[in-house]
Amino acid sequence: TTPQDIYGCLRGARLCPAPRTAPQIHIYTATPPARRAKHLSAANYERHRPPARGPRTPDAATQQQAKMSKLAFDYSKWDNIEISDDEADTHPNIDKASWFRMKHRSRVEREETEQMEKTAMEKENKADGEREREIVRLLAEVRSGGDAAEYEDEDALVGELEEVRGRVKDRLDKIDFMEKNKKWNVDNLSHTATDRTILSGKGSSKEDLVGGMMSGTKSNKDGPVGPQSEKAAVNAYADFVDKHESILEDYLATTELEDCKKKLHEHGGTLLHEHAQSYILLSCLEDEMNGFPDKMKLASRNSQVLSHVTDLAASLNRHPRDVVLPFFSRIEDPRYRAGFEEAVQDFIVKIQKRAVDKRKEMDANEPVELSREERLGPGGLDPVEVFETLPESMQEAFEKKDTQMLQVALEAMDPEEAKRHMDACEASGLWVQNNSSEEATVVDDGLA
């Protein structure tokens, strides 16, 4: 090739034919490099092929994992949650309260409509289910040559059966669609599956407060049900004091709070009883009136221990026995201890004031002894002397101020004796004749 040829080819590159490609010459093999690489890889794989493996049986853990993956919880049902915050997206000119009420009412009406539709479809499915069972029964009877073969058409029954099953399937599909696309909100996200109320009987009865702190024994006596009369309440208090007076007096004489805690732990059922607190209150009042201020102050402090335990139990809605140890743990706090001491001082002041008022009341109610001249009746006779001369039946009638009983006593006596006694009663003022109504009145002059 000459330089002129090369120059001509360059000038007319578009017209110059493509030069021939010389065949590649390989020294070691006549196979192209790419194909040779494939052959080498295949030969190497054949040379180092691993032994054939049998079918692998998954272990128990792998099977359990595969099973759980199939039973995984489907969270897609929570994709349609209506958040209440969406209702707050209102225009500034719209009242939010009105908007909330409208949105809530619309949601409630929509849910009621959907529930009504589901109820209606379930009712129709129930009716179609009964018809399906009837058709199946008739088909069985027709095919077995029974009585239904005379008046029923098998083809018609088969067609009706398919139609009924198709309607049921359509309704079930619609119900499933409604459930899948149901809008969830705060009212229907959850429901109460089970509801159980357990009332613990321990400590619920007042009788459980009588006995040891840890015993929890209750009285087996079946008392009257309902509010007690005043006489029954007084008798119950008297019986309680007679039975537990030694424990109460021992607690009143306790000087250390640690000993109070021990006694409450041993006899908490008795000391925390309402009758026990009444007894301790009266003991504080009697000690102050009898001139024992130190004893009264000690009893007042111990009384406040019981009151604070009871108040703490009421605030925690627990049985008083359950808060004894928490109370003594709390009282170690200086701030709580200061409040407790202040309450004790206030209680002491109230006891002292009540003792003064009670003394005045007792002095005012104390009967004044009259002289004989002051006791003389309208006829100049002393009622005390006349009362002592009366028969026992008449004395009892005057003590009870029972006119009927006095009439019976007089009728049992001799008329002259009865008249003599009645004249003496009128002269002494024991019997006052009411002339306006022709009735008599038994006078209460303090002889009873």
Side-chain angles (χ1 to χ4, degrees):
T1 303
T2 63
Q4 289 79 8
D5 296 333
I6 297 173
Y7 180 75
C9 289
L10 292 174
R11 291 185 63 185
R14 295 182 180 179
L15 301 177
C16 182
R20 293 180 178 180
T21 303
Q24 298 181 2
I25 299 175
H26 305 285
I27 300 174
Y28 301 102
T29 179
T31 307
R35 192 177 301 173
R36 177 173 175 268
K38 292 181 179 180
H39 289 178
L40 289 175
S41 299
N44 187 48
Y45 178 77
E46 292 294 337
R47 187 182 305 114
H48 301 284
R49 175 184 294 181
R53 295 181 179 178
R56 181 183 177 185
T57 303
D59 55 1
T62 306
Q63 294 178 358
Q64 181 68 17
Q65 184 177 3
K67 182 178 179 181
M68 293 300 296
S69 64
K70 294 180 180 179
L71 298 178
F73 190 80
D74 184 12
Y75 290 95
S76 61
K77 66 180 296 184
W78 307 115
D79 293 340
N80 298 325
I81 296 180
E82 288 182 334
I83 304 176
S84 59
D85 295 339
D86 295 342
E87 300 178 357
D89 187 13
T90 61
H91 192 274
N93 296 336
I94 300 177
D95 180 54
K96 289 187 177 181
S98 301
W99 179 258
F100 291 162
R101 289 194 295 270
M102 185 191 70
K103 294 285 288 185
H104 180 73
R105 183 172 62 252
S106 300
R107 174 162 55 83
V108 172
E109 291 177 354
R110 185 191 71 233
E111 292 178 354
E112 290 178 352
T113 303
E114 292 177 355
Q115 184 61 34
M116 290 174 60
E117 292 179 0
K118 289 172 59 177
T119 304
M121 287 188 291
E122 290 174 355
K123 185 176 181 181
E124 293 175 358
N125 281 349
K126 183 178 180 181
D128 286 344
E130 294 177 356
R131 178 56 184 168
E132 179 182 357
R133 290 189 291 271
E134 180 67 17
I135 294 174
V136 171
R137 186 186 65 80
L138 291 174
L139 282 174
E141 188 174 351
V142 168
R143 291 168 181 171
S144 63
D147 296 338
E150 299 178 0
Y151 57 86
E152 293 289 351
D153 186 3
E154 182 178 357
D155 295 335
L157 291 176
V158 171
E160 184 181 0
L161 180 61
E162 293 178 355
E163 183 181 355
V164 169
R165 289 177 175 175
R167 291 199 303 265
V168 173
K169 184 178 181 303
D170 292 341
R171 295 192 195 102
L172 292 177
D173 292 342
K174 187 175 181 180
I175 293 175
D176 293 341
F177 177 80
M178 294 173 64
E179 287 293 334
K180 186 176 181 180
N181 296 274
K182 182 179 180 180
K183 298 292 185 181
W184 298 95
N185 53 70
V186 67
D187 295 330
N188 59 11
L189 274 174
S190 61
H191 66 280
T192 303
T194 58
D195 188 7
R196 182 175 61 174
T197 302
I198 300 177
L199 299 178
S200 176
K202 184 177 181 181
S204 59
S205 175
K206 290 185 177 181
E207 294 182 356
D208 192 29
L209 285 176
V210 179
M213 185 68 178
M214 305 302 295
S215 63
T217 56
K218 298 182 180 180
S219 175
N220 294 327
K221 297 179 180 179
D222 297 331
V225 178
Q228 294 182 339
S229 62
E230 183 178 358
K231 182 177 180 181
V234 172
N235 293 335
Y237 173 78
D239 296 339
F240 179 86
V241 172
D242 292 340
K243 186 176 181 180
H244 305 288
E245 186 174 7
S246 60
I247 297 176
L248 298 174
E249 290 295 336
D250 181 56
Y251 175 76
L252 288 176
T254 305
T255 57
E256 300 294 335
L257 286 177
E258 187 65 24
D259 295 335
C260 290
K261 180 172 72 172
K262 293 180 181 179
K263 286 182 172 56
L264 276 172
H265 188 74
E266 295 174 0
H267 309 288
T270 301
L271 296 176
L272 292 171
H273 198 277
E274 58 180 355
H275 291 334
Q277 299 193 29
S278 300
Y279 178 85
I280 294 175
L281 176 62
L282 294 177
S283 298
C284 294
L285 185 61
E286 290 179 359
D287 292 339
E288 177 64 21
M289 295 179 64
N290 293 330
F292 303 106
D294 296 336
K295 187 177 179 182
M296 180 271 296
K297 293 179 181 179
L298 179 61
S300 298
R301 189 207 63 180
N302 296 343
S303 174
Q304 284 301 295
V305 170
L306 301 180
S307 298
H308 277 66
V309 169
T310 305
D311 295 341
L312 180 60
S315 63
L316 298 178
N317 196 20
R318 298 292 299 274
H319 194 277
R321 297 181 309 179
D322 298 338
V323 299
V324 171
L325 296 181
F327 165 75
F328 283 99
S329 299
R330 181 180 296 186
I331 205 173
E332 294 177 359
D333 186 357
R335 294 176 298 178
Y336 190 85
R337 182 64 176 268
F340 173 75
E341 295 294 344
E342 182 179 357
V344 172
Q345 293 301 322
D346 293 341
F347 184 76
I348 291 175
V349 172
K350 292 179 181 179
I351 290 294
Q352 292 173 346
K353 182 179 179 181
R354 178 55 185 163
V356 175
D357 295 340
K358 184 67 175 178
R359 176 63 66 182
K360 292 180 180 179
E361 293 175 3
M362 293 176 64
D363 294 341
N365 295 330
E366 187 175 355
V368 180
E369 186 177 355
L370 301 176
S371 61
R372 185 177 184 281
E373 288 74 12
E374 295 174 341
R375 294 198 304 267
L376 295 179
L381 298 180
D382 184 3
V384 176
E385 296 176 355
V386 173
F387 183 81
E388 293 177 353
T389 60
L390 295 177
E392 184 176 355
S393 58
M394 292 185 65
Q395 290 183 1
E396 184 178 359
F398 275 103
E399 289 176 352
K400 296 182 179 180
K401 293 187 288 186
D402 190 341
T403 306
Q404 188 66 26
M405 184 181 296
L406 180 62
Q407 183 69 25
V408 173
L410 292 174
E411 291 177 356
M413 298 170 56
D414 183 72
E416 295 182 358
E417 184 181 2
K419 184 176 183 305
R420 178 171 58 82
H421 285 305
M422 289 304 300
D423 291 341
C425 290
E426 292 181 5
S428 63
L430 288 177
W431 181 264
V432 178
Q433 187 72 28
N434 191 348
N435 296 327
S436 61
S437 60
E438 295 183 356
E439 293 181 356
T441 304
V442 177
V443 179
D444 183 10
D445 58 354
L447 297 176

